[in-house]
Every structure is written in structure tokens, then in C-alpha cells.
Amino acid sequence: MIKTPLCDLLNIEFPILQGGMAWISDAQLAAAVSNAGGLGIISSMNADENWLRSEIQKAKSLTDKPFGVNVMLMNPHVDKIAQVLIDEKVPVVTTGAGNPGKFMKLWIEAGIKVIPVVPSTGLARFSERAGATAVIAEGGESGGHVGEMSTMPLIPQVCDVVSIPVIAAGGIGDGRGIAAALMLGAVGVQLGTRFLVAHETNIHENYKDKIIKAKDIDTTLSGRSLGHPVRSLKTTFSKDFIKAESDPTTPPEVLEEYGRGALRIAAQEGDSQKGCFMAGQIAGMIKEKQSVKEIILTLADETETVLKGGLQWVK
Amino acid sequence: MVLEKVVEILRNYKDEQDLEVTMASTFEELELDSLDTVELVMEIEEAFDTSIEMDGELQTIGDVVTLIEKAIA
């Protein structure tokens, strides 16, 4: 049994969070993860407050366990989204793509546990000071929008500068990764890519098949020149995008337009010509589609085995 | 002299002692990204033993100096 202080803090059985992935993490996936003992998270992506409210209510109808919502701070509807979270008494909010400072006080006063995703020690310290319950330190091995630091150096350095719990993310796909994250000082983990292939995940089957087929070297970074690099599977789309990006005559707005909607196309239509299949570097480790419950129980079992096995090196 | 202190912190942060900084210098011109800005603002806050709201857009060194001046007034 793997139990850390994060379990009591978030009222969950296993210290495993499911990352909020735009167009992927809906009420069904979040509820399945929470029912299996982890913390499911709905992604509010660029959606408006009405969509989010109905997803939250759907998740409540599917689970009586706590779940969270990820807020993308660049969402044009973010002010209304922030209020819906309070109205619906969402217990946990994770934030990405910006500085949640503006909403922190409001959410904390409403009793919401705020857990920002941070790519550096500075933002981790800043989050702690602003009243964050914990931080998710995410390395650039993860899928989607990534930072520069990788998980191995990021986690211990973040742990050294904050006294709130640290949750590790990026490059974690099995019990070995979870055990390693705990050894680096984290008290929990957030996984995204591993849940892409869950039966409960509402994405096109092509997306899941591509993850299963992926090898270690099959992800790539694009969008560096736009200031927000994205990790995705190598596909016709990503190759074309990188080619256009490396051509200095391509205006940035043309690139932005090219990338717009590409994740939705991947998730809903499974089209590798036009879709951007975001995935982390651990995609190569995923070999089978499983239910969320199987995934979480396997992760917990593996972690326990690895942690116990580690003692063999202590003489 | 808030600006002088801020300039000193900035020069140390960038390890460039002859870095030209004015109130109008933008973080972008100084080649500081959003993560640097957070680090730097926290260093400045610690130096003045105060804190400023980072809610709004901090574009220039002058923005930071003005907020610090208000905070310690």
C-alpha cells in the first residue's frame, strides 16, 4: 500500500493525479480516476463556463469521490470559469499556462485547494507564498505544453525551496517512475499520457493506437519559436509544422493559425495529417489499453514492489 | 532610491555589471522571460522586505519600481 501525506490532504487513496489534458480529460475520465482511488481532473481548456458547469455536474453524478478541475489561465472565459469552481464547490483546482495570482485569494477563501503546475523553483516559491496547497512540478518530458527543465533535476530543486507538498509530473509512466519521484522528494505524481489509452478516455481510437505503437524516440517538440513549445507524437502534422517553423519567412501568426485546433482534430477525428497528438516521452512504455482501475492498481503495485526492492542495495 | 537598488539586483542577476537599465527598459529587451521575471521580482521583494502584486502585466523595470515605491511608502 502506497500512502503519502498527499492522500490525506486530498482525501484520495493513491497519491496519483490524472493530468488535465485539453479535449481529453472530461467528466467521464476524471470520475473513473477518482472512483479508482486517484484524483481525476477535468480540463477546462478554452471552454466557457456553461460547458464546465455541465462537466462538473456530470462528474458529480458519476462519482462521490473528490475530483479537480484544471484551469488554463489564458482561457478568455477564465473569470467566469473561476466563479463556477466556487459555485460548484470543486475541491481541487490545478492551474497552468500562467500566473494564478489573481484568483488564488478568491479560491482559497472558498475552501478550494489550489495546486499550480510549475516549471521552475521560482514559480514554486511564488505559488507557496500565494497560498497554494501544493505544487505540481512538471518536467519537459511530459506531453503538451512543456517547460525547459526535465523532471529529474526539477523535482529535488523544487522540494528544496518549498515546504508545501510537491507532486511530480513529466516522464512518469509506471511504478518505477512513481518510486523515483517519491525518492526525489515528491509525495505524489501526476500522469497524463498513461491515461490516454484508458477505456474510459473519450478520444479517437487512432490516438490510442498511435500511443500503443509509439517508441521512445517518437515524440518531438514544436512551437519553440512561438514561445510555447508543445510535445507531441511525430506525425505528418508535426513534421509539416516544424518545417514551416524552421522557415524564417513563415510569419508567427500563420504558424499559430496552423496549430489552432490541431489537438481537437487529433482527439476527436484521429487525423494524423491535421491533428497534433500530444504525448509525453513515456508513450513508448505503454503497450496495452486498460481500464482506469487496472492502470491505477498496476501503478500502485509496481511502486510498492520497486520501493521494497530498493532496499537490496542498502548493505 | 528604489531604481538604483533594482538595477543593482538586475545586474547581479544577469551577471553583467555594465548592463544599461532605465525605467523604460522592458523585461523583453533585457532578455528576461516570464520565469526570470518571477525570480527577479521575488529577489527584489526580499531586498525591500515587502511584496507586490504580480497580478497585472509587468512589462518594464519602471512598473516594478513604481509598485515597490508604493508598497514601501
Side-chain angles (χ1 to χ4, degrees), chain A residues 175-198:
Chain A
R176 293 170 296 180
I178 298 177
L182 297 178
M183 292 300 96
L184 293 174
V187 290
V189 292
Q190 175 170 282
L191 278 63
T193 306
R194 178 76 192 250
F195 289 108
L196 283 175
V197 298

Side-chain angles (χ1 to χ4, degrees), chain B residues 13-59:
Chain B
Y13 184 85
K14 292 210 48 153
D15 204 13
E16 288 176 40
Q17 292 310 321
D18 42 9
L19 183 72
E20 293 230 0
V21 187
T22 67
M23 290 285 272
S25 305
T26 64
F27 286 103
E28 198 179 349
E29 284 163 5
L30 295 166
E31 294 176 334
L32 296 162
D33 64 17
S34 60
L35 297 184
D36 288 315
T37 307
V38 171
E39 289 279 352
L40 204 61
V41 168
M42 283 197 301
E43 272 193 36
I44 295 168
E45 288 175 329
E46 280 159 16
F48 287 96
D49 195 20
T50 185
S51 68
I52 59 174
E53 294 289 326
M54 270 196 268
D55 301 353
E57 283 284 293
L58 294 176
Q59 304 275 356

Side-chain angles (χ1 to χ4, degrees), chain A:
Chain A
M1 180 82 189
I2 299 296
K3 201 168 168 62
T4 73
L6 192 71
C7 299
D8 288 336
L9 187 66
L10 301 181
N11 199 17
I12 52 180
E13 200 178 337
F14 303 109
I16 298 171
L17 281 64
Q18 157 256 312
M21 300 170 280
W23 294 105
I24 295 163
S25 306
D26 59 5
Q28 181 175 307
L29 176 61
V33 172
S34 291
N35 280 333
L39 186 82
I41 295 176
I42 296 169
S43 166
S44 62
M45 46 182 182
N46 261 331
D48 66 16
E49 66 280 12
N50 297 324
W51 180 88
L52 180 62
R53 188 178 290 110
S54 87
E55 281 302 298
I56 292 170
Q57 288 170 354
K58 187 175 170 195
K60 283 178 181 169
S61 73
L62 296 170
T63 183
D64 54 2
K65 303 272 176 61
F67 61 89
V69 170
N70 175 258
V71 176
M72 210 274 286
L73 293 156
M74 282 160 74
N75 182 340
H77 310 284
V78 69
D79 291 324
K80 286 181 179 157
I81 292 269
Q83 189 57 43
V84 168
L85 300 171
I86 295 170
D87 297 344
E88 293 292 331
K89 299 186 170 54
V90 171
V92 180
V93 170
T94 64
T95 63
N99 173 1
K102 186 177 165 191
F103 305 110
M104 289 289 271
K105 206 166 159 242
L106 208 63
W107 287 335
I108 292 165
E109 277 171 8
I112 295 174
K113 295 186 174 85
V114 187
I115 310 182
V117 177
V118 300
S120 70
T121 58
L123 266 178
R125 284 171 61 213
F126 177 76
S127 302
E128 178 177 39
R129 207 184 65 184
T133 301
V135 287
I136 298 168
E138 184 180 78
E141 299 94 319
S142 61
H145 290 94
V146 298
E148 291 281 343
M149 295 275 297
S150 44
T151 304
M152 184 78 107
L154 179 64
I155 305 307
Q157 292 186 71
V158 168
C159 291
D160 284 345
V161 297
V162 296
S163 50
I164 52 177
V166 175
I167 297 158
I172 304 170
D174 66 9
R176 293 170 296 180
I178 298 177
L182 297 178
M183 292 300 96
L184 293 174
V187 290
V189 292
Q190 175 170 282
L191 278 63
T193 306
R194 178 76 192 250
F195 289 108
L196 283 175
V197 298
H199 300 321
E200 294 89 337
T201 303
N202 275 320
I203 55 174
H204 199 282
E205 218 50 32
N206 288 354
Y207 202 148
K208 297 184 184 183
D209 291 339
K210 282 180 185 298
I211 298 290
I212 300 285
K213 277 188 198 146
K215 298 188 297 296
D216 54 346
I217 55 169
D218 284 345
T219 72
T220 187
L221 279 182
S222 55
R224 261 184 202 278
S225 64
L226 298 170
H228 42 85
V230 166
R231 182 176 303 286
S232 64
L233 293 177
K234 289 176 186 165
T235 56
T236 308
F237 170 83
S238 69
K239 283 172 195 157
D240 288 350
F241 190 97
I242 291 166
K243 203 169 153 195
E245 195 177 15
S246 60
D247 177 352
T249 63
T250 312
E253 50 280 12
V254 169
L255 271 182
E256 291 276 10
E257 192 51 43
Y258 192 34
R260 191 159 294 142
L263 173 62
R264 187 200 62 77
I265 293 171
Q268 294 188 338
E269 297 167 24
D271 179 342
S272 58
Q273 304 292 317
K274 294 180 190 155
C276 179
F277 296 77
M278 295 188 186
Q281 288 181 326
I282 60 99
M285 284 163 54
I286 299 173
K287 299 296 173 215
E288 60 173 330
K289 298 174 189 172
Q290 291 172 296
S291 71
V292 161
K293 193 172 179 185
E294 282 171 322
I295 291 173
I296 289 191
L297 291 178
T298 306
L299 291 171
D301 265 4
E302 288 171 352
T303 308
E304 199 173 323
T305 306
V306 173
L307 285 176
K308 282 180 180 162
L311 281 173
Q312 69 184 298
W313 308 118
V314 182
K315 304 294 182 195

